[in-house]
Amino acid sequence: MGVANDDEARLQQLGYKQQLKRGLDAFANFGVAFSVMSEPTSVMPLIYQGLGAGGPQAMLVSWPIISVLSGCVGASMGEIVSSYPTSGGLYYWSASLAGPKWAPFASYITGYFNFLGLAGINAGTAYAFGQFFVNCFIASGDSVVVEGSFVSRVVTFVAAVACLVISGWLASFGSKTVNIMSKICFWVNVIGVAVIVFWLYFDSSTKIPVSQLFSTWTNFTGLPDTWAATISVLLACLTYSGYDSAAHLAEETANPAVQGPKSILVAIGSTFFTGYIALYFIVATIDPSIYQDIYDAGSYGLMAVFVNGVGVNVAIGFNVILLLAGITTVFGLLLTHARMTFAFSRDGALPGSKWLHKLNANQVPERATWVIVLINTLILVPSIFSSPIFTAINSFGVIGTYLAYLLPIFLRVIRNDKFPRGPFNLGSWGVPIGVISILYLSFSSVALVLPTVYTDPNSYTLADNVTLDHDAYVTAYLTNFNWAPVVVVGVYLIAYFFWVVSAHKWFTGPPIDTETHWAKEALNQKEAADGSVHSNTGAAKDDVMEDVTIGEVKL
């Protein structure tokens, strides 16, 4: 009861009253963060991409490197959520760290990148679910659902929407159900990965030794090897996103100032371990002679690996596990996105904020949840007609999320003297680790917008093998084009345009922390250690609070 009272008191200091039910325990908070980075819906479907850009060598070398760098980002985010444990944390962090003058703009941009980034990731995961569903029919030789056909895209879309609806329904229940589901999410992902990778490895006739895997480089992209090496990090980058979910659930978790950072870091560490095992055991079962075929198969590549290793029937069984994991991941993402939407609308940043900022009888933002389901369904519609456009939206999801990570960390570094440290903090390592995080997030954001395939005009000539078949070349070029930078720049320009035209007049940002709880405790401890209070203590106290308090004009 004392901890709950402390949590509510801290939330009140941050400018909010307790509305969401604080019913999630530590394991549930961690379970959501881990499930959002689910290997079945991130690492496994992208095996084909890894084989095409760098091969086993690039995948096995880049994974631990990106894991450590993601750990730096997680540590930087951890100490910020420890100071500001609120739902929708990222945009609130930017507001508090930017200071009063820039708080509205910083929170506005961060919030919209986070909102749209989560939408992209959620839609991408639901689409992966749809692909798993369709792959079962393709593997069984169904004559109607053929790989790449219009029918297969429609079935993928319908399955993806069904996944969103089921997950939205589960996310609409109260904290007891959510608490149980969050734990189920964790175990489905862990046990599911274990069953798939160990069964595949021990039942497959192919066993590539570790030494050969670490020395096997492949590049089927048509781009230079240095380029392929750069984009080879995409598999790991696309996996390590969404762990801010632990922060978004802060107002529903006991002692979030400690549990939030712990969940983020443990989830990243667990993903490194389980993801590396999954990578090795899967890649070790693939004969190098079929790497090109797997890469060319694209989203069906993973199913081809399964069929080649264990046969059609067991491969379909593996896909059923992937379907279950897909629902748990979408469930976790919907929880995260709904809480972010609830918090963002609480401060009036979204259209229809007053309507969105309502809780149902279970103290759950049900309206926000179903609005997110609708938004993700609309995002999925273009995938019926053009897979490349959807791929761009999926890539933007990760880029938008990374940019939402980068902004508050950048502000925390440049305003280090104004940052009030919480129970979890990095001490003197805070700035160096923050700088590493900024550099990594900047690099990965660039890598995510680079073209991943070269469209060779010499492959699109007419019968004379000289004249360019312009229409065929343009079609292929647009198919291979990475639309992510177009989407990223477009979203930023639209958001900035509305800020200049309208939002700057009415959006004042979230209420900023005006009473730094942690700084007061530190000051009281210092005074107790001194043993006496001098006559100028009051003035000294004001000076200390001026340095650490976020939100006063004195900043």
Side-chain angles (χ1 to χ4, degrees):
M1 181 66 69
V3 172
N5 290 337
D6 288 346
D7 293 338
E8 291 186 22
R10 178 56 181 153
L11 185 61
Q12 189 172 7
Q13 288 178 347
L14 298 177
Y16 303 113
K17 66 178 181 178
Q18 185 73 45
Q19 291 179 278
L20 298 168
K21 187 174 181 179
R22 205 173 285 275
L24 299 185
D25 59 27
F27 188 69
N29 185 279
F30 156 73
V32 172
F34 177 82
S35 301
V36 166
M37 295 187 288
S38 164
E39 285 91 0
T41 57
S42 57
V43 176
M44 292 185 185
L46 292 171
I47 289 291
Y48 81 93
Q49 176 67 39
L51 291 176
Q57 183 184 66
M59 284 190 282
L60 295 175
V61 170
S62 65
W63 184 265
I65 295 173
I66 300 302
S67 299
V68 171
L69 293 172
S70 297
C72 290
V73 176
S76 293
M77 292 175 62
E79 66 169 0
I80 302 177
V81 70
S82 186
S83 291
Y84 307 119
T86 66
S87 293
L90 299 173
Y91 84 92
Y92 184 93
W93 303 347
S94 288
S96 291
L97 292 167
K101 181 179 179 180
W102 292 100
F105 180 71
S107 60
Y108 176 85
I109 293 297
T110 303
Y112 270 96
F113 270 127
N114 195 201
F115 181 88
L116 295 171
L118 284 170
I121 293 176
N122 207 348
T125 306
Y127 189 75
F129 175 93
Q131 289 177 323
F132 296 152
F133 185 79
V134 165
N135 285 347
C136 293
F137 294 97
I138 297 174
S140 63
D142 188 286
S143 59
V144 176
V145 183
V146 179
E147 183 181 354
S149 67
F150 179 75
V151 172
S152 70
R153 292 197 297 272
V154 171
V155 174
T156 299
F157 171 79
V158 172
V161 173
C163 175
L164 286 167
V165 172
I166 293 171
S167 300
W169 173 68
L170 291 171
S172 299
F173 287 96
S175 58
K176 288 185 178 180
T177 302
V178 171
N179 203 52
I180 295 171
M181 276 298 301
S182 300
K183 296 170 184 177
I184 293 175
C185 289
F186 171 80
W187 289 114
V188 165
N189 281 277
V190 171
I191 296 174
V193 168
V195 169
I196 291 174
V197 300
F198 289 121
W199 191 331
L200 176 64
Y201 182 79
F202 290 110
D203 203 31
S204 175
S205 59
T206 303
K207 304 283 191 304
I208 307 299
V210 175
S211 58
Q212 183 177 337
L213 291 176
F214 272 95
S215 61
T216 301
W217 170 272
T218 57
N219 181 9
F220 304 132
T221 65
L223 299 163
D225 282 349
T226 51
W227 193 293
T230 301
I231 63 176
S232 69
V233 303
L234 297 184
L235 185 148
C237 289
L238 291 170
T239 301
Y240 285 107
S241 60
Y243 43 82
D244 54 309
S245 57
H248 290 299
L249 296 173
E251 292 180 32
E252 296 168 84
T253 305
N255 196 16
V258 173
Q259 187 53 47
K262 185 184 296 184
S263 292
I264 291 172
L265 290 173
V266 175
I268 291 173
S270 302
T271 299
F272 160 68
F273 179 71
T274 55
Y276 211 31
I277 290 175
L279 269 180
Y280 167 71
F281 279 98
I282 293 175
V283 176
T285 66
I286 307 175
D287 189 321
S289 64
I290 63 171
Y291 283 177
Q292 179 78 64
D293 294 334
I294 300 298
Y295 177 68
D296 292 339
S299 61
Y300 184 72
L302 177 64
M303 192 63 171
V305 172
F306 290 164
V307 171
N308 187 67
V310 295
V312 173
N313 292 333
V314 177
I316 291 176
F318 286 173
N319 249 38
V320 172
I321 295 175
L322 295 178
L323 289 170
L324 292 174
I327 288 181
T328 65
T329 304
V330 173
F331 167 78
L333 285 166
L334 275 176
L335 280 180
T336 300
H337 202 177
R339 273 57 179 177
M340 191 273 156
T341 303
F342 164 81
F344 211 28
S345 62
R346 176 169 59 186
D347 296 316
L350 293 171
S353 286
K354 290 184 179 179
W355 182 84
L356 279 173
H357 183 60
K358 296 290 183 182
L359 302 178
N360 65 10
N362 295 319
Q363 291 180 267
V364 171
E366 186 175 17
R367 291 181 179 179
T369 301
W370 288 113
V371 166
I372 297 306
V373 170
L374 176 61
I375 290 173
N376 280 279
T377 299
L378 295 175
I379 291 174
L380 285 166
V381 170
S383 68
I384 299 175
F385 309 99
S386 176
S387 297
I389 292 177
F390 176 77
T391 301
I393 296 172
N394 190 30
S395 296
F396 166 73
V398 179
I399 298 170
T401 302
Y402 275 15
L403 292 175
Y405 293 174
L406 191 151
L407 288 171
I409 294 175
F410 174 75
L411 292 169
R412 180 260 177 271
V413 169
I414 64 173
R415 291 173 62 85
N416 178 55
D417 60 326
K418 306 297 183 183
F419 176 61
R421 287 158 178 76
F424 173 86
N425 66 83
L426 302 174
S428 60
W429 287 95
V431 171
I433 291 178
V435 170
I436 293 172
S437 300
I438 292 168
L439 293 175
Y440 162 65
L441 291 170
S442 300
F443 163 76
S444 55
S445 296
V446 172
L448 283 163
V449 301
L450 293 175
T452 56
V453 179
Y454 173 66
T455 306
D456 186 359
N458 294 322
S459 301
Y460 299 91
T461 56
L462 298 175
D464 59 6
N465 292 324
V466 176
T467 307
L468 178 68
D469 185 342
H470 184 267
D471 291 341
Y473 174 72
V474 169
T475 300
Y477 182 83
L478 293 177
T479 298
N480 295 330
F481 185 73
N482 187 347
W483 291 90
V486 177
V487 179
V488 171
V489 174
V491 167
Y492 175 78
L493 290 177
I494 292 172
Y496 185 73
F497 173 78
F498 278 108
W499 171 260
V500 172
V501 173
S502 176
H504 79 281
K505 300 175 183 177
W506 49 264
F507 181 64
T508 58
I512 302 177
D513 181 16
T514 57
E515 186 177 3
T516 307
H517 178 67
W518 319 121
K520 278 192 167 184
E521 283 191 348
L523 183 63
N524 292 336
Q525 291 172 4
K526 182 178 184 302
E527 290 175 347
D530 290 342
S532 63
V533 181
H534 300 289
S535 60
N536 63 347
T537 298
K541 182 174 180 178
D542 290 340
D543 290 340
V544 172
M545 290 307 296
E546 180 180 343
D547 286 339
V548 297
T549 298
I550 304 298
E552 295 183 351
V553 179
K554 293 178 182 179
L555 277 175

